[in-house]
Amino acid sequence: GGSGTDSSSGERIVRLSPGDRRPVRWWTVRALDQGQWRTWVLPGAQRQLVVGERGAAVPRVLVTAVDRYGTESVVVEASRSSR
């Protein structure tokens, strides 16, 4: 996955994509926003999430994939890219 800024809305988004062929049941996303961590647990079919409003500086976004047995993947830091 990666993160970037939506060109039409200016919102900071993170894109979610599996790293291998194993099905993802859930995603966990953690975003550091103004010194506080925000956490989401999302369905595995979801492919993006707004983690910051227009112009928000969200310096870190951490993502894990969770399988149907509840096994969490290693933590991946979403890289920032423009969109």
Side-chain angles (χ1 to χ4, degrees):
S3 69
T5 303
D6 185 274
S7 60
S8 60
S9 70
E11 296 170 318
R12 175 84 188 271
I13 60 169
V14 62
R15 286 178 292 286
L16 306 167
S17 59
D20 57 27
R21 296 198 182 276
R22 291 186 306 183
V24 175
R25 178 66 59 96
W26 302 101
W27 298 103
T28 68
V29 180
R30 299 166 186 97
L32 183 61
D33 184 14
Q34 299 179 15
Q36 301 230 343
W37 286 98
R38 296 172 56 197
T39 303
W40 295 265
V41 177
L42 307 167
Q46 189 162 337
R47 292 293 178 248
Q48 72 177 28
L49 171 70
V50 174
V51 293
E53 297 178 8
R54 180 183 199 100
V58 181
R60 293 190 75 191
V61 178
L62 307 176
V63 178
T64 63
V66 182
D67 68 16
R68 67 182 180 157
Y69 302 109
T71 306
E72 193 171 24
S73 70
V74 296
V75 176
V76 174
E77 185 158 3
S79 59
R80 183 138 193 189
S81 61
S82 60
R83 189 165 200 260

